[in-house]
Amino acid sequence: LLLPHVMRFNKPARLKEFATIAEWLGQDVSGLPLEEAAERAILAVDDLRKNVGIVGRLRDLKVQQDQLAGFAKKAITITRLM
């Protein structure tokens, strides 16, 4: 849900990849420094998230604070992306 924050955290290590994502999402990044092109990817992904109706925060899904520990425990067991 916090995709823009995760992308910003990873941006320094993935400038080229994020610039490519920006292009894929229709951003004109020609002539831009990689840092700025990568930032455009983050903004474009966030716009896409909003446009398709994906909420940006867990509280928007009515998640209560006492549920977070359970979410974290379950998330740590997901290994398909590692």
Side-chain angles (χ1 to χ4, degrees), residues 17-82:
E17 292 86 346
F18 283 16
T20 300
I21 290 169
E23 288 183 273
W24 289 344
L25 293 175
Q27 300 295 307
D28 181 8
V29 295
S30 56
L32 291 179
L34 277 179
E35 174 83 21
E36 192 172 332
E39 185 63 27
R40 292 228 181 147
I42 295 168
L43 296 173
V45 166
D46 198 39
D47 284 344
L48 178 62
R49 176 195 61 79
K50 291 174 189 171
N51 289 337
V52 299
I54 298 172
V55 299
R57 300 174 303 185
L58 290 173
R59 77 179 88 166
D60 297 333
L61 295 173
K62 309 291 189 240
V63 170
Q64 301 298 311
Q65 188 168 356
D66 62 344
Q67 294 174 285
L68 296 177
F71 290 170
K73 286 178 186 174
K74 184 164 182 143
I76 200 89
T77 66
I78 299 171
T79 59
R80 72 177 185 273
L81 299 176
M82 294 183 193

